[in-house]
Amino acid sequence: MNNPYAKKVIQEFYNFGAPEQILYTSKPHIGTDKLIQIIKNMREEIIRLGGEFLFNEKVIDFEIENGKIAKVITDKRDIETNIVVLAIGHSARETFYKLHERNIEMKRKNFSVGLRIEHLQTMINESQYGTKTKLKLPPAEYKLAYHGDDGRSCYTFCMCPGGEVIASSSEEGTIVTNGMSTFARNGINANSAILVNITPEDVGEGENPLKGIEFQKKLEESAFKLGGNNYYAPIQRVEDFINNEKSVIIGEIKPTYKPGVTLSNLNDILPDFVSKTLKEGIIYFDKKINGFANPNAILTGVETRSSSPVTILRNEKLQSNIEGIYPCGEGAGYAGGITSAGADGIRCAVEICKNKEKGC
C-alpha cells in the first residue's frame, strides 16, 4: 500500500513478535494464533508507558459543550477530556447510533455483502501451481473480481489459505461470518469472502446515514433464522445455490464453521441482485481458477462486515464537526484492513500532536 505509515505498522508488528518475513513479503501474513500474543505484548508495553485499558466497560454517551467534546460517559464513570479518537471498528453499532443522536456528521458509503466460499486447499494449489512442480511452495492464494453488465461487481476478499470460516457475530440473534488462518496455514480447506457491492441507494430512501447498518443487520438476523435460531450458520453447495435449490447433502468439501451448520437455500435470504451477481461471479471465477465452481464447494452465510457502511466525516485537521473528536480507522470509513487502520491511527496521532502545538 502507498500509505507512508504502513511500513511503520508492519515494523511494529515485527517488534512485538510477528515473524520476520512480514518485513519483506508482498502480502504479510501473521496468523491469528500468533496475533493473540502480539496484541498482548503491545498492550503490556502501552501499560508500561502509562496507558490504561478499561475492560468490561463501554461508552454509552458523549457530553458536548459549545461544539467541543467535554466528556466521555461510560457505564461506570464520566471521563473529562478534550480529545477522543473514535477508532471504534465497524461493529460498534450502539456507538454509531449515539453519535448520530449527538449530531456528529456522518454519511452513507459503499460497502459489500455476500458469503464465504470453501474449497479444498489442494485444489487451489493445483490450479495455481500445476501438478508438476517439485518446489516447496506455500499454500496458494487468489484474488478475483467480476464486473457485470448491470454495473454490479463481485469480488473475493480476505482469502484464507488453509484456514477456516469463523463466527463473528457481535449481537444476539445474528449470524456473521469471517475467515482466519493460523500462521502455518495447514488446514484442509481454503476460504474467502465472495462479495457484491452495495451502494447508498440500495439501502433505502431518505437521509438517515445509518440505513446501511440496518441493511446489514436484517441480513444477519435472516441468516440466524435460516440456520435454525441456534447460532448454526446456513450453508449451501455451490451447485444448489446456482440452481436455487436447498442443499440436502454435503460432498467432499466439509464446512469448517463452528458451532455447526444447517443445510439451507441461501437465495432465500439474499437480495435478488446479490444472488444474481454472486452466481455470475462464481461461474466467471471458474474460468480463472479451475474448480472454483465445484458443485460441492461450500457457501456459508452471511458475510456483512467487510467494510463499514458509514463514514464519520472529518476535516483537514482530521476532526469531526465536534472539535476534539477524531474519527479513525475502519469503522469510521478511513481504512480497509489491519495495516491501513493502523496507519490511519498513526496519522491521527500525528495530527493531534500538531494541533496541540498550535493550541487547537
Side-chain angles (χ1 to χ4, degrees):
M1 66 186 304
N2 296 323
N3 191 304
Y5 296 121
K7 186 176 181 180
K8 172 66 173 173
V9 173
I10 296 297
Q11 182 66 49
E12 289 298 330
F13 274 109
Y14 170 69
N15 293 344
F16 287 98
E20 184 180 11
Q21 67 189 51
I22 73 166
L23 297 176
Y24 54 80
T25 54
S26 61
K27 295 181 180 179
H29 170 66
I30 296 174
T32 304
D33 51 334
K34 292 186 178 296
L35 192 61
I36 294 169
Q37 183 60 46
I38 292 165
I39 297 301
K40 181 182 178 183
N41 294 342
M42 290 180 175
R43 182 174 72 245
E44 290 174 348
E45 177 64 6
I46 291 170
I47 293 171
R48 187 188 72 79
L49 293 169
E52 186 177 2
F53 289 80
L54 304 178
F55 290 108
N56 299 313
E57 187 166 349
K58 68 177 181 178
V59 172
I60 59 173
D61 208 345
F62 303 87
E63 188 171 305
I64 298 165
E65 296 179 357
N66 301 318
K68 301 178 182 180
I69 185 68
K71 286 182 182 178
V72 173
I73 300 169
T74 79
D75 56 352
K76 296 182 179 178
R77 73 193 81 196
D78 292 358
I79 303 172
E80 293 187 3
T81 182
N82 61 357
I83 295 175
V84 173
V85 178
L86 278 177
I88 55 178
H90 54 48
S91 295
R93 289 174 173 169
E94 290 181 356
T95 307
F96 279 108
Y97 280 102
K98 181 57 67 173
L99 292 169
H100 183 50
E101 184 182 322
R102 293 288 174 248
N103 297 314
I104 282 79
E105 292 178 354
M106 311 178 200
K107 68 176 182 179
R108 303 180 192 183
K109 64 180 281 290
N110 291 337
F111 61 105
S112 301
V113 301
L115 309 168
R116 277 270 154 183
I117 188 166
E118 292 190 87
H119 302 93
L120 294 176
Q121 183 63 51
T122 52
M123 183 278 289
I124 301 296
N125 293 346
E126 290 179 5
S127 178
Q128 298 291 68
Y129 297 146
T131 58
K132 297 182 180 179
T133 180
K134 295 182 180 179
L135 298 173
K136 187 177 181 180
L137 298 171
E141 302 179 52
Y142 59 79
K143 186 176 182 180
L144 304 166
Y146 162 77
H147 303 284
D149 295 335
D150 58 358
R152 294 288 175 185
S153 298
C154 177
Y155 64 98
T156 62
F157 175 79
C158 185
M159 192 270 167
C160 302
E164 56 190 88
V165 179
I166 60 171
S168 298
S169 299
S170 57
E171 297 164 289
E172 292 184 4
T174 62
I175 291 290
V176 179
T177 65
N178 205 333
M180 59 155 278
S181 296
T182 62
F183 177 70
R185 291 177 161 177
N186 57 358
I188 293 174
N189 287 1
N191 78 78
S192 173
I194 178 167
L195 303 171
V196 174
N197 64 304
I198 306 295
T199 69
E201 293 73 30
D202 291 326
V203 301
E205 298 179 354
E207 299 298 322
N208 184 351
L210 304 181
K211 279 285 189 178
I213 290 177
E214 296 170 7
F215 184 95
Q216 290 174 322
K217 190 172 182 180
K218 182 179 178 181
L219 275 177
E220 296 160 10
E221 291 172 342
S222 296
F224 179 77
K225 294 175 183 177
L226 190 63
N229 296 301
N230 57 1
Y231 294 97
Y232 280 29
I235 67 164
Q236 190 172 18
R237 295 168 62 249
V238 160
E239 179 181 48
D240 297 329
F241 179 69
I242 291 173
N243 292 331
N244 195 16
E245 297 174 351
K246 178 182 176 180
S247 289
V248 294
I249 62 167
I250 296 174
E252 73 272 15
I253 302 168
K254 311 300 182 186
T256 57
Y257 185 95
K258 295 178 181 178
V261 296
T262 302
L263 291 168
S264 309
N265 185 351
L266 294 164
N267 291 282
D268 291 345
I269 60 171
L270 294 172
D272 290 342
F273 72 87
V274 173
S275 289
K276 175 180 177 293
T277 309
L278 286 174
K279 292 171 187 177
E280 292 173 357
I282 290 169
I283 293 169
Y284 175 79
F285 296 156
D286 196 67
K287 299 175 183 177
K288 304 296 180 179
I289 295 181
N290 184 31
F292 196 92
N294 183 319
N296 288 313
I298 293 293
L299 295 166
T300 306
V302 285
E303 173 106 2
T304 54
R305 309 284 183 88
S306 63
S307 62
S308 176
V310 176
T311 297
I312 304 175
L313 301 181
R314 65 188 189 188
N315 59 25
E316 68 281 356
K317 294 181 180 179
L318 307 188
Q319 298 181 60
S320 76
N321 61 305
I322 302 302
E323 186 177 323
I325 290 183
Y326 292 79
C328 176
E330 196 166 351
Y334 297 98
I338 293 174
T339 303
S340 58
D344 195 57
I346 296 173
R347 186 182 176 205
C348 286
V350 169
E351 192 64 29
I352 288 169
C353 292
K354 288 181 181 177
N355 292 338
K356 287 185 71 175
E357 290 173 0
K358 295 174 183 176
C360 299

